[in-house]
Amino acid sequence: MPSKDFFELATSPIDITSVARRVVPPECGATVTLDGYVRQFTRGRETLHLFYEAYEPMALREMQKLIGQAHKDFDISNIGIVHRLGRLEVGETSVVISVAAPHRKAAFAACEWLIRELKRTVPIWKKEIYADGEEWIEGEKDVTPI
Amino acid sequence: MPSKDFFELATSPIDITSVARRVVPPECGATVTLDGYVRQFTRGRETLHLFYEAYEPMALREMQKLIGQAHKDFDISNIGIVHRLGRLEVGETSVVISVAAPHRKAAFAACEWLIRELKRTVPIWKKEIYADGEEWIEGEKDVTPI
Amino acid sequence: MIKALFFGLTADLIGSRSTDLDLKDHATPANVLEHLVAAYPELAPHRILIAVNEEYVYADTVLHDGDELAFFSAVSGG
Amino acid sequence: MIKALFFGLTADLIGSRSTDLDLKDHATPANVLEHLVAAYPELAPHRILIAVNEEYVYADTVLHDGDELAFFSAVSGG
């Protein structure tokens, strides 16, 4: 069976259903999907919109590495990752990660690992635009080169 | 904030995106969604289509109980559960469970617990229709009355 | 009088989706199931779950007039 | 000659998205960053991550002619 893994940077709205469906192999019965979206309020402050920027070729390489590592560490069939870039309005989807696996447990574990690692390693940055200013958000975690 | 929990039995196709979006509160940034769908192959045998039947009022009560228990056991904001009934074609979505939470970890844990308990307690039955016959699937687990 | 409902596999094996029963005092779902299995021996190999008034119950729960009793195989939704 | 790229916060603080650098032999990203922080002290309070040719590297990695060097703040996608 050819792999149905995919990893993409998107500049138009992401449809969760279509991401979740693209990872489905005929012998699996369940998909776990994490979707992140633009919060209206962060620590009580209202966000007007967000802007995501990426170091695009490196972001795609890092996403591909995460997918490779997930296949080593978890018994899963297919993975789909789509991250939105550019300006996003409140409520829009910023990231979708879908994992299909023969057994649910591995799909949950892999999806949780993938979002944690994506937030730590994939070179994408978020700028929050508030009524009274804007701010580049800095991640909390370091990355150790391999 | 009014609760955005919901639990439904549906006889027309389920859209994963709309389920995942309905549970979103303005202060949460992530939703975890489990979706189950009709497998083409089960233990090497090809499924032509599926049929789901429910003891509908009890199924809705049991879904409501699961939601109540999940709110006690996990730090989550909103839960949405939609289960399809009737005839389903291969690839169609049979169940969607979406959980929004302030922190991802609780959303993953609650979603995994909810699908496990739904499969154990909610009175819905699946009939597999094969080229050469059909079979009501029997669950593996017992239910202890409370 | 109580109503008994059957679903999925149990409905197919019994050939009916519901029946009305006149029961003795202190009758339990176990008594009803015993009669059903005697009448429909195809039920015997299956694990049958029991609900009364849309709640899971133990087989020795005492039934009351007007109860809605349900018999069904282990659930397989999802 | 190597190219240095800046993104997000670093691009805003430096006021540029890329620059070409002529480096001495055995120069490292740490040397370059030292010069950058001297020129743009606003960078000093921030943790700056380093990539060479689209891979994370340690600050003391030796740079080679033609390398693509990148400096950016801790990532915040998701």
PDB file of all heavy atoms in Angstrom, chain A residues 52-53 55 61 65 83 121 124-126 136-141 144-145, chain D residues 8 12 17 46-47 54-56 58 68 72-78:
ATOM      1  N   TYR A  52       0.762  34.022  10.783  1.00  0.00           N
ATOM      2  CA  TYR A  52       1.769  32.959  10.897  1.00  0.00           C
ATOM      3  C   TYR A  52       2.788  33.094   9.774  1.00  0.00           C
ATOM      4  O   TYR A  52       2.413  33.272   8.604  1.00  0.00           O
ATOM      5  CB  TYR A  52       1.132  31.574  10.775  1.00  0.00           C
ATOM      6  CG  TYR A  52       0.432  31.084  12.009  1.00  0.00           C
ATOM      7  CD1 TYR A  52      -0.943  31.237  12.162  1.00  0.00           C
ATOM      8  CD2 TYR A  52       1.141  30.440  13.018  1.00  0.00           C
ATOM      9  CE1 TYR A  52      -1.596  30.765  13.293  1.00  0.00           C
ATOM     10  CE2 TYR A  52       0.498  29.966  14.149  1.00  0.00           C
ATOM     11  CZ  TYR A  52      -0.863  30.130  14.278  1.00  0.00           C
ATOM     12  OH  TYR A  52      -1.503  29.662  15.391  1.00  0.00           O
ATOM     13  N   GLU A  53       4.056  33.011  10.152  1.00  0.00           N
ATOM     14  CA  GLU A  53       5.137  33.025   9.164  1.00  0.00           C
ATOM     15  C   GLU A  53       5.957  31.752   9.337  1.00  0.00           C
ATOM     16  O   GLU A  53       6.086  31.236  10.447  1.00  0.00           O
ATOM     17  CB  GLU A  53       6.025  34.242   9.428  1.00  0.00           C
ATOM     18  CG  GLU A  53       7.235  34.327   8.511  1.00  0.00           C
ATOM     19  CD  GLU A  53       8.100  35.565   8.784  1.00  0.00           C
ATOM     20  OE1 GLU A  53       7.546  36.601   9.217  1.00  0.00           O
ATOM     21  OE2 GLU A  53       9.322  35.471   8.600  1.00  0.00           O
ATOM     22  N   TYR A  55       9.639  29.467   7.986  1.00  0.00           N
ATOM     23  CA  TYR A  55      10.832  29.237   7.161  1.00  0.00           C
ATOM     24  C   TYR A  55      10.428  28.007   6.347  1.00  0.00           C
ATOM     25  O   TYR A  55      10.631  26.868   6.765  1.00  0.00           O
ATOM     26  CB  TYR A  55      12.012  28.967   8.093  1.00  0.00           C
ATOM     27  CG  TYR A  55      13.352  28.710   7.463  1.00  0.00           C
ATOM     28  CD1 TYR A  55      13.603  28.861   6.097  1.00  0.00           C
ATOM     29  CD2 TYR A  55      14.417  28.316   8.277  1.00  0.00           C
ATOM     30  CE1 TYR A  55      14.866  28.622   5.562  1.00  0.00           C
ATOM     31  CE2 TYR A  55      15.686  28.080   7.760  1.00  0.00           C
ATOM     32  CZ  TYR A  55      15.891  28.234   6.397  1.00  0.00           C
ATOM     33  OH  TYR A  55      17.138  27.990   5.886  1.00  0.00           O
ATOM     34  N   ARG A  61      10.662  20.222   5.878  1.00  0.00           N
ATOM     35  CA  ARG A  61      11.604  19.158   6.253  1.00  0.00           C
ATOM     36  C   ARG A  61      11.356  18.676   7.668  1.00  0.00           C
ATOM     37  O   ARG A  61      11.430  17.473   7.955  1.00  0.00           O
ATOM     38  CB  ARG A  61      13.044  19.679   6.197  1.00  0.00           C
ATOM     39  CG  ARG A  61      13.606  19.803   4.813  1.00  0.00           C
ATOM     40  CD  ARG A  61      14.916  20.584   4.871  1.00  0.00           C
ATOM     41  NE  ARG A  61      16.001  19.747   5.345  1.00  0.00           N
ATOM     42  CZ  ARG A  61      17.044  19.416   4.593  1.00  0.00           C
ATOM     43  NH1 ARG A  61      17.126  19.824   3.337  1.00  0.00           N
ATOM     44  NH2 ARG A  61      18.023  18.675   5.081  1.00  0.00           N
ATOM     45  N   LYS A  65      10.321  14.995   8.964  1.00  0.00           N
ATOM     46  CA  LYS A  65      11.074  14.246   9.993  1.00  0.00           C
ATOM     47  C   LYS A  65      10.154  13.747  11.106  1.00  0.00           C
ATOM     48  O   LYS A  65      10.306  12.628  11.599  1.00  0.00           O
ATOM     49  CB  LYS A  65      12.131  15.154  10.635  1.00  0.00           C
ATOM     50  CG  LYS A  65      13.391  15.319   9.833  1.00  0.00           C
ATOM     51  CD  LYS A  65      14.392  16.079  10.709  1.00  0.00           C
ATOM     52  CE  LYS A  65      15.361  16.862   9.862  1.00  0.00           C
ATOM     53  NZ  LYS A  65      16.143  17.813  10.662  1.00  0.00           N
ATOM     54  N   HIS A  83      -0.491  22.962   8.082  1.00  0.00           N
ATOM     55  CA  HIS A  83      -0.393  24.182   8.897  1.00  0.00           C
ATOM     56  C   HIS A  83      -0.690  25.384   8.023  1.00  0.00           C
ATOM     57  O   HIS A  83      -0.157  25.507   6.937  1.00  0.00           O
ATOM     58  CB  HIS A  83       1.008  24.301   9.498  1.00  0.00           C
ATOM     59  CG  HIS A  83       1.047  25.202  10.697  1.00  0.00           C
ATOM     60  ND1 HIS A  83       0.729  26.553  10.640  1.00  0.00           N
ATOM     61  CD2 HIS A  83       1.323  24.939  12.000  1.00  0.00           C
ATOM     62  CE1 HIS A  83       0.829  27.066  11.852  1.00  0.00           C
ATOM     63  NE2 HIS A  83       1.182  26.119  12.689  1.00  0.00           N
ATOM     64  N   THR A 121       9.521  22.161  17.318  1.00  0.00           N
ATOM     65  CA  THR A 121      10.612  22.089  16.340  1.00  0.00           C
ATOM     66  C   THR A 121      10.334  22.723  14.975  1.00  0.00           C
ATOM     67  O   THR A 121      11.276  23.080  14.284  1.00  0.00           O
ATOM     68  CB  THR A 121      11.009  20.618  16.071  1.00  0.00           C
ATOM     69  OG1 THR A 121       9.933  19.956  15.390  1.00  0.00           O
ATOM     70  CG2 THR A 121      11.335  19.887  17.345  1.00  0.00           C
ATOM     71  N   ILE A 124       7.885  27.808  12.527  1.00  0.00           N
ATOM     72  CA  ILE A 124       6.722  28.632  12.214  1.00  0.00           C
ATOM     73  C   ILE A 124       6.539  29.557  13.412  1.00  0.00           C
ATOM     74  O   ILE A 124       6.738  29.130  14.552  1.00  0.00           O
ATOM     75  CB  ILE A 124       5.465  27.755  12.005  1.00  0.00           C
ATOM     76  CG1 ILE A 124       5.655  26.828  10.795  1.00  0.00           C
ATOM     77  CG2 ILE A 124       4.216  28.621  11.824  1.00  0.00           C
ATOM     78  CD1 ILE A 124       4.492  25.851  10.561  1.00  0.00           C
ATOM     79  N   TRP A 125       6.181  30.807  13.135  1.00  0.00           N
ATOM     80  CA  TRP A 125       6.011  31.784  14.212  1.00  0.00           C
ATOM     81  C   TRP A 125       4.672  32.461  14.089  1.00  0.00           C
ATOM     82  O   TRP A 125       4.192  32.728  12.994  1.00  0.00           O
ATOM     83  CB  TRP A 125       7.132  32.840  14.185  1.00  0.00           C
ATOM     84  CG  TRP A 125       8.457  32.200  14.268  1.00  0.00           C
ATOM     85  CD1 TRP A 125       9.157  31.884  15.390  1.00  0.00           C
ATOM     86  CD2 TRP A 125       9.239  31.731  13.162  1.00  0.00           C
ATOM     87  NE1 TRP A 125      10.320  31.241  15.051  1.00  0.00           N
ATOM     88  CE2 TRP A 125      10.395  31.140  13.697  1.00  0.00           C
ATOM     89  CE3 TRP A 125       9.070  31.748  11.779  1.00  0.00           C
ATOM     90  CZ2 TRP A 125      11.387  30.567  12.904  1.00  0.00           C
ATOM     91  CZ3 TRP A 125      10.049  31.174  10.967  1.00  0.00           C
ATOM     92  CH2 TRP A 125      11.193  30.594  11.534  1.00  0.00           C
ATOM     93  N   LYS A 126       4.122  32.754  15.267  1.00  0.00           N
ATOM     94  CA  LYS A 126       2.790  33.342  15.356  1.00  0.00           C
ATOM     95  C   LYS A 126       2.904  34.768  15.866  1.00  0.00           C
ATOM     96  O   LYS A 126       3.574  35.019  16.873  1.00  0.00           O
ATOM     97  CB  LYS A 126       1.969  32.499  16.339  1.00  0.00           C
ATOM     98  CG  LYS A 126       0.628  33.064  16.713  1.00  0.00           C
ATOM     99  CD  LYS A 126      -0.244  32.030  17.405  1.00  0.00           C
ATOM    100  CE  LYS A 126       0.246  31.648  18.799  1.00  0.00           C
ATOM    101  NZ  LYS A 126      -0.723  30.728  19.456  1.00  0.00           N
ATOM    102  N   TRP A 136       5.048  39.187  18.493  1.00  0.00           N
ATOM    103  CA  TRP A 136       5.498  37.866  18.057  1.00  0.00           C
ATOM    104  C   TRP A 136       5.540  36.953  19.270  1.00  0.00           C
ATOM    105  O   TRP A 136       6.165  37.293  20.274  1.00  0.00           O
ATOM    106  CB  TRP A 136       6.894  37.930  17.436  1.00  0.00           C
ATOM    107  CG  TRP A 136       6.906  38.446  16.032  1.00  0.00           C
ATOM    108  CD1 TRP A 136       7.332  39.674  15.621  1.00  0.00           C
ATOM    109  CD2 TRP A 136       6.480  37.742  14.848  1.00  0.00           C
ATOM    110  NE1 TRP A 136       7.182  39.797  14.259  1.00  0.00           N
ATOM    111  CE2 TRP A 136       6.665  38.625  13.759  1.00  0.00           C
ATOM    112  CE3 TRP A 136       5.949  36.472  14.603  1.00  0.00           C
ATOM    113  CZ2 TRP A 136       6.345  38.264  12.449  1.00  0.00           C
ATOM    114  CZ3 TRP A 136       5.632  36.121  13.306  1.00  0.00           C
ATOM    115  CH2 TRP A 136       5.828  37.011  12.244  1.00  0.00           C
ATOM    116  N   ILE A 137       4.906  35.812  19.182  1.00  0.00           N
ATOM    117  CA  ILE A 137       4.922  34.861  20.294  1.00  0.00           C
ATOM    118  C   ILE A 137       6.205  34.033  20.188  1.00  0.00           C
ATOM    119  O   ILE A 137       6.562  33.555  19.113  1.00  0.00           O
ATOM    120  CB  ILE A 137       3.691  33.939  20.246  1.00  0.00           C
ATOM    121  CG1 ILE A 137       2.408  34.783  20.201  1.00  0.00           C
ATOM    122  CG2 ILE A 137       3.682  32.986  21.426  1.00  0.00           C
ATOM    123  CD1 ILE A 137       2.220  35.747  21.348  1.00  0.00           C
ATOM    124  N   GLU A 138       6.887  33.906  21.344  1.00  0.00           N
ATOM    125  CA  GLU A 138       8.092  33.079  21.356  1.00  0.00           C
ATOM    126  C   GLU A 138       7.791  31.765  22.054  1.00  0.00           C
ATOM    127  O   GLU A 138       7.165  31.743  23.103  1.00  0.00           O
ATOM    128  CB  GLU A 138       9.227  33.809  22.082  1.00  0.00           C
ATOM    129  CG  GLU A 138       9.671  35.045  21.314  1.00  0.00           C
ATOM    130  CD  GLU A 138      10.792  35.787  22.037  1.00  0.00           C
ATOM    131  OE1 GLU A 138      11.945  35.342  21.949  1.00  0.00           O
ATOM    132  OE2 GLU A 138      10.498  36.802  22.688  1.00  0.00           O
ATOM    133  N   GLY A 139       8.232  30.679  21.454  1.00  0.00           N
ATOM    134  CA  GLY A 139       8.017  29.362  22.040  1.00  0.00           C
ATOM    135  C   GLY A 139       8.749  29.224  23.359  1.00  0.00           C
ATOM    136  O   GLY A 139       9.649  29.993  23.677  1.00  0.00           O
ATOM    137  N   GLU A 140       8.315  28.228  24.136  1.00  0.00           N
ATOM    138  CA  GLU A 140       8.919  28.051  25.458  1.00  0.00           C
ATOM    139  C   GLU A 140      10.078  27.083  25.425  1.00  0.00           C
ATOM    140  O   GLU A 140      10.826  26.975  26.369  1.00  0.00           O
ATOM    141  CB  GLU A 140       7.867  27.507  26.432  1.00  0.00           C
ATOM    142  CG  GLU A 140       6.833  28.550  26.776  1.00  0.00           C
ATOM    143  CD  GLU A 140       5.576  27.935  27.346  1.00  0.00           C
ATOM    144  OE1 GLU A 140       5.630  26.783  27.817  1.00  0.00           O
ATOM    145  OE2 GLU A 140       4.528  28.619  27.294  1.00  0.00           O
ATOM    146  N   LYS A 141      10.205  26.352  24.336  1.00  0.00           N
ATOM    147  CA  LYS A 141      11.126  25.221  24.379  1.00  0.00           C
ATOM    148  C   LYS A 141      12.293  25.375  23.429  1.00  0.00           C
ATOM    149  O   LYS A 141      12.209  26.018  22.399  1.00  0.00           O
ATOM    150  CB  LYS A 141      10.365  23.941  24.072  1.00  0.00           C
ATOM    151  CG  LYS A 141       9.380  23.650  25.193  1.00  0.00           C
ATOM    152  CD  LYS A 141       8.765  22.305  25.078  1.00  0.00           C
ATOM    153  CE  LYS A 141       7.830  22.086  26.279  1.00  0.00           C
ATOM    154  NZ  LYS A 141       6.759  21.180  25.943  1.00  0.00           N
ATOM    155  N   THR A 144      17.295  20.770  20.547  1.00  0.00           N
ATOM    156  CA  THR A 144      18.664  20.276  20.540  1.00  0.00           C
ATOM    157  C   THR A 144      18.963  19.693  19.160  1.00  0.00           C
ATOM    158  O   THR A 144      18.263  18.785  18.721  1.00  0.00           O
ATOM    159  CB  THR A 144      18.846  19.162  21.592  1.00  0.00           C
ATOM    160  OG1 THR A 144      18.442  19.678  22.845  1.00  0.00           O
ATOM    161  CG2 THR A 144      20.289  18.705  21.656  1.00  0.00           C
ATOM    162  N   PRO A 145      19.961  20.242  18.469  1.00  0.00           N
ATOM    163  CA  PRO A 145      20.301  19.648  17.164  1.00  0.00           C
ATOM    164  C   PRO A 145      20.638  18.181  17.333  1.00  0.00           C
ATOM    165  O   PRO A 145      21.155  17.762  18.375  1.00  0.00           O
ATOM    166  CB  PRO A 145      21.529  20.452  16.727  1.00  0.00           C
ATOM    167  CG  PRO A 145      21.421  21.748  17.477  1.00  0.00           C
ATOM    168  CD  PRO A 145      20.821  21.378  18.805  1.00  0.00           C
TER     169      PRO A 145
ATOM    170  N   GLY D   8      10.348  36.283  11.359  1.00  0.00           N
ATOM    171  CA  GLY D   8       9.485  36.712  12.460  1.00  0.00           C
ATOM    172  C   GLY D   8      10.110  37.821  13.287  1.00  0.00           C
ATOM    173  O   GLY D   8      10.489  38.879  12.768  1.00  0.00           O
ATOM    174  N   ASP D  12      12.080  41.379  12.252  1.00  0.00           N
ATOM    175  CA  ASP D  12      11.565  42.687  12.662  1.00  0.00           C
ATOM    176  C   ASP D  12      12.615  43.480  13.432  1.00  0.00           C
ATOM    177  O   ASP D  12      12.768  44.685  13.231  1.00  0.00           O
ATOM    178  CB  ASP D  12      10.310  42.514  13.543  1.00  0.00           C
ATOM    179  CG  ASP D  12       9.057  42.268  12.703  1.00  0.00           C
ATOM    180  OD1 ASP D  12       9.181  42.083  11.470  1.00  0.00           O
ATOM    181  OD2 ASP D  12       7.954  42.252  13.281  1.00  0.00           O
ATOM    182  N   ARG D  17      15.273  40.752   6.151  1.00  0.00           N
ATOM    183  CA  ARG D  17      14.944  39.324   6.118  1.00  0.00           C
ATOM    184  C   ARG D  17      16.127  38.474   5.683  1.00  0.00           C
ATOM    185  O   ARG D  17      16.084  37.249   5.823  1.00  0.00           O
ATOM    186  CB  ARG D  17      13.737  39.073   5.212  1.00  0.00           C
ATOM    187  CG  ARG D  17      12.506  39.895   5.655  1.00  0.00           C
ATOM    188  CD  ARG D  17      11.252  39.510   4.927  1.00  0.00           C
ATOM    189  NE  ARG D  17      10.873  38.145   5.247  1.00  0.00           N
ATOM    190  CZ  ARG D  17      10.257  37.779   6.375  1.00  0.00           C
ATOM    191  NH1 ARG D  17       9.927  38.664   7.289  1.00  0.00           N
ATOM    192  NH2 ARG D  17       9.963  36.519   6.582  1.00  0.00           N
ATOM    193  N   HIS D  46      16.439  37.799  23.781  1.00  0.00           N
ATOM    194  CA  HIS D  46      15.695  36.698  23.182  1.00  0.00           C
ATOM    195  C   HIS D  46      16.557  35.459  22.972  1.00  0.00           C
ATOM    196  O   HIS D  46      17.734  35.552  22.663  1.00  0.00           O
ATOM    197  CB  HIS D  46      15.101  37.146  21.837  1.00  0.00           C
ATOM    198  CG  HIS D  46      14.173  38.313  21.977  1.00  0.00           C
ATOM    199  ND1 HIS D  46      12.882  38.174  22.424  1.00  0.00           N
ATOM    200  CD2 HIS D  46      14.369  39.650  21.780  1.00  0.00           C
ATOM    201  CE1 HIS D  46      12.310  39.374  22.474  1.00  0.00           C
ATOM    202  NE2 HIS D  46      13.199  40.291  22.096  1.00  0.00           N
ATOM    203  N   ARG D  47      15.933  34.317  23.154  1.00  0.00           N
ATOM    204  CA  ARG D  47      16.606  33.064  22.819  1.00  0.00           C
ATOM    205  C   ARG D  47      16.556  32.918  21.298  1.00  0.00           C
ATOM    206  O   ARG D  47      15.486  32.921  20.707  1.00  0.00           O
ATOM    207  CB  ARG D  47      15.895  31.890  23.497  1.00  0.00           C
ATOM    208  CG  ARG D  47      16.569  30.561  23.269  1.00  0.00           C
ATOM    209  CD  ARG D  47      16.369  29.631  24.478  1.00  0.00           C
ATOM    210  NE  ARG D  47      14.994  29.670  24.967  1.00  0.00           N
ATOM    211  CZ  ARG D  47      14.007  28.916  24.495  1.00  0.00           C
ATOM    212  NH1 ARG D  47      14.249  28.031  23.560  1.00  0.00           N
ATOM    213  NH2 ARG D  47      12.783  29.010  24.995  1.00  0.00           N
ATOM    214  N   GLU D  54      18.863  24.493   6.549  1.00  0.00           N
ATOM    215  CA  GLU D  54      17.549  23.986   6.947  1.00  0.00           C
ATOM    216  C   GLU D  54      17.599  22.894   8.006  1.00  0.00           C
ATOM    217  O   GLU D  54      16.667  22.090   8.129  1.00  0.00           O
ATOM    218  CB  GLU D  54      16.757  23.489   5.720  1.00  0.00           C
ATOM    219  CG  GLU D  54      16.615  24.571   4.646  1.00  0.00           C
ATOM    220  CD  GLU D  54      16.018  24.062   3.346  1.00  0.00           C
ATOM    221  OE1 GLU D  54      15.644  22.880   3.281  1.00  0.00           O
ATOM    222  OE2 GLU D  54      15.921  24.866   2.396  1.00  0.00           O
ATOM    223  N   GLU D  55      18.690  22.842   8.771  1.00  0.00           N
ATOM    224  CA  GLU D  55      18.803  21.899   9.890  1.00  0.00           C
ATOM    225  C   GLU D  55      19.236  22.673  11.133  1.00  0.00           C
ATOM    226  O   GLU D  55      20.115  23.536  11.055  1.00  0.00           O
ATOM    227  CB  GLU D  55      19.881  20.829   9.615  1.00  0.00           C
ATOM    228  CG  GLU D  55      19.674  19.990   8.379  1.00  0.00           C
ATOM    229  CD  GLU D  55      18.683  18.836   8.588  1.00  0.00           C
ATOM    230  OE1 GLU D  55      18.232  18.634   9.739  1.00  0.00           O
ATOM    231  OE2 GLU D  55      18.379  18.165   7.589  1.00  0.00           O
ATOM    232  N   TYR D  56      18.641  22.316  12.297  1.00  0.00           N
ATOM    233  CA  TYR D  56      19.114  22.908  13.540  1.00  0.00           C
ATOM    234  C   TYR D  56      20.574  22.531  13.770  1.00  0.00           C
ATOM    235  O   TYR D  56      20.963  21.387  13.513  1.00  0.00           O
ATOM    236  CB  TYR D  56      18.288  22.397  14.730  1.00  0.00           C
ATOM    237  CG  TYR D  56      16.897  22.991  14.779  1.00  0.00           C
ATOM    238  CD1 TYR D  56      15.788  22.254  14.395  1.00  0.00           C
ATOM    239  CD2 TYR D  56      16.705  24.295  15.217  1.00  0.00           C
ATOM    240  CE1 TYR D  56      14.508  22.795  14.436  1.00  0.00           C
ATOM    241  CE2 TYR D  56      15.425  24.846  15.268  1.00  0.00           C
ATOM    242  CZ  TYR D  56      14.331  24.105  14.878  1.00  0.00           C
ATOM    243  OH  TYR D  56      13.083  24.650  14.919  1.00  0.00           O
ATOM    244  N   TYR D  58      24.281  23.361  16.416  1.00  0.00           N
ATOM    245  CA  TYR D  58      24.858  24.007  17.582  1.00  0.00           C
ATOM    246  C   TYR D  58      25.569  25.281  17.128  1.00  0.00           C
ATOM    247  O   TYR D  58      26.021  25.379  15.975  1.00  0.00           O
ATOM    248  CB  TYR D  58      25.844  23.064  18.276  1.00  0.00           C
ATOM    249  CG  TYR D  58      25.152  21.919  18.978  1.00  0.00           C
ATOM    250  CD1 TYR D  58      25.132  20.648  18.414  1.00  0.00           C
ATOM    251  CD2 TYR D  58      24.500  22.126  20.189  1.00  0.00           C
ATOM    252  CE1 TYR D  58      24.491  19.599  19.047  1.00  0.00           C
ATOM    253  CE2 TYR D  58      23.844  21.079  20.829  1.00  0.00           C
ATOM    254  CZ  TYR D  58      23.849  19.819  20.261  1.00  0.00           C
ATOM    255  OH  TYR D  58      23.203  18.794  20.880  1.00  0.00           O
ATOM    256  N   GLU D  68      23.498  28.196   3.944  1.00  0.00           N
ATOM    257  CA  GLU D  68      22.368  29.073   4.248  1.00  0.00           C
ATOM    258  C   GLU D  68      22.146  29.027   5.757  1.00  0.00           C
ATOM    259  O   GLU D  68      21.765  27.994   6.315  1.00  0.00           O
ATOM    260  CB  GLU D  68      21.107  28.600   3.516  1.00  0.00           C
ATOM    261  CG  GLU D  68      19.897  29.485   3.823  1.00  0.00           C
ATOM    262  CD  GLU D  68      18.663  29.064   3.035  1.00  0.00           C
ATOM    263  OE1 GLU D  68      18.611  29.313   1.820  1.00  0.00           O
ATOM    264  OE2 GLU D  68      17.760  28.448   3.639  1.00  0.00           O
ATOM    265  N   PHE D  72      16.427  32.625  14.281  1.00  0.00           N
ATOM    266  CA  PHE D  72      15.026  32.906  14.576  1.00  0.00           C
ATOM    267  C   PHE D  72      14.727  32.640  16.037  1.00  0.00           C
ATOM    268  O   PHE D  72      15.441  31.893  16.708  1.00  0.00           O
ATOM    269  CB  PHE D  72      14.089  32.107  13.672  1.00  0.00           C
ATOM    270  CG  PHE D  72      14.446  30.654  13.466  1.00  0.00           C
ATOM    271  CD1 PHE D  72      14.120  29.708  14.419  1.00  0.00           C
ATOM    272  CD2 PHE D  72      15.093  30.242  12.292  1.00  0.00           C
ATOM    273  CE1 PHE D  72      14.417  28.371  14.209  1.00  0.00           C
ATOM    274  CE2 PHE D  72      15.402  28.893  12.095  1.00  0.00           C
ATOM    275  CZ  PHE D  72      15.061  27.954  13.043  1.00  0.00           C
ATOM    276  N   SER D  73      13.674  33.270  16.525  1.00  0.00           N
ATOM    277  CA  SER D  73      13.255  33.060  17.917  1.00  0.00           C
ATOM    278  C   SER D  73      12.609  31.680  18.047  1.00  0.00           C
ATOM    279  O   SER D  73      12.264  31.046  17.044  1.00  0.00           O
ATOM    280  CB  SER D  73      12.281  34.153  18.343  1.00  0.00           C
ATOM    281  OG  SER D  73      11.182  34.194  17.460  1.00  0.00           O
ATOM    282  N   ALA D  74      12.455  31.229  19.299  1.00  0.00           N
ATOM    283  CA  ALA D  74      11.862  29.906  19.557  1.00  0.00           C
ATOM    284  C   ALA D  74      10.514  29.823  18.847  1.00  0.00           C
ATOM    285  O   ALA D  74       9.725  30.771  18.882  1.00  0.00           O
ATOM    286  CB  ALA D  74      11.714  29.687  21.058  1.00  0.00           C
ATOM    287  N   VAL D  75      10.263  28.710  18.187  1.00  0.00           N
ATOM    288  CA  VAL D  75       9.123  28.596  17.278  1.00  0.00           C
ATOM    289  C   VAL D  75       7.810  28.594  18.051  1.00  0.00           C
ATOM    290  O   VAL D  75       7.750  28.198  19.217  1.00  0.00           O
ATOM    291  CB  VAL D  75       9.254  27.348  16.380  1.00  0.00           C
ATOM    292  CG1 VAL D  75      10.619  27.357  15.683  1.00  0.00           C
ATOM    293  CG2 VAL D  75       9.043  26.063  17.155  1.00  0.00           C
ATOM    294  N   SER D  76       6.746  29.044  17.394  1.00  0.00           N
ATOM    295  CA  SER D  76       5.442  29.170  18.069  1.00  0.00           C
ATOM    296  C   SER D  76       4.294  28.820  17.132  1.00  0.00           C
ATOM    297  O   SER D  76       3.226  29.440  17.174  1.00  0.00           O
ATOM    298  CB  SER D  76       5.284  30.591  18.619  1.00  0.00           C
ATOM    299  OG  SER D  76       5.457  31.550  17.574  1.00  0.00           O
ATOM    300  N   GLY D  77       4.507  27.838  16.286  1.00  0.00           N
ATOM    301  CA  GLY D  77       3.423  27.365  15.425  1.00  0.00           C
ATOM    302  C   GLY D  77       2.438  26.514  16.217  1.00  0.00           C
ATOM    303  O   GLY D  77       2.552  26.345  17.424  1.00  0.00           O
ATOM    304  N   GLY D  78       1.464  25.998  15.497  1.00  0.00           N
ATOM    305  CA  GLY D  78       0.480  25.112  16.138  1.00  0.00           C
ATOM    306  C   GLY D  78      -0.855  25.794  16.314  1.00  0.00           C
ATOM    307  O   GLY D  78      -0.980  26.982  16.105  1.00  0.00           O
TER     308      GLY D  78
END
